[in-house]
Amino acid sequence: MELADVTDPACCAPLSGPALSEVEAAELAKVFKALSDPVRLRLLNLIASVDGGEACVCDLTGSFELTAPTISHHLKVLRQAGLIEGERRGTWVYYRVVPERLTRLSGLFALPAPVPA
């Protein structure tokens, strides 16, 4: 499942902006679907909050009562959504958030500036 590049302005104009097309809404829904699982939200939070900006998968699995393959699946979904990226070093993969993707998503909720009366 390949998800849209949420940094592309054509993908994700603010929700208060022009009406979304069906295609734009469907692509954006895929990104939100990736974030709709509590395990994935916790994984994203753990990765984003780690000192040094990256977390080893070996450090992530201990925070959950899930099997390693299940954690790997959730990390794959976050990678496909473009929210994290990983780099293999030896037998471990190290993950880091993609800041511009998170920033772009936060821009979706920007409200238009109030017009002075």
Side-chain angles (χ1 to χ4, degrees), residues 44-66:
L44 187 62
N45 171 251
L46 287 170
I47 295 166
S49 64
V50 71
D51 287 337
E54 62 183 16
C56 176
V57 70
C58 60
D59 295 326
L60 298 172
T61 55
S63 299
F64 300 90
E65 293 183 15
L66 299 169

Side-chain angles (χ1 to χ4, degrees), residues 5-21:
D5 178 357
V6 295
T7 62
D8 182 352
C11 164
C12 307
L15 293 175
S16 62
L20 293 171
S21 72

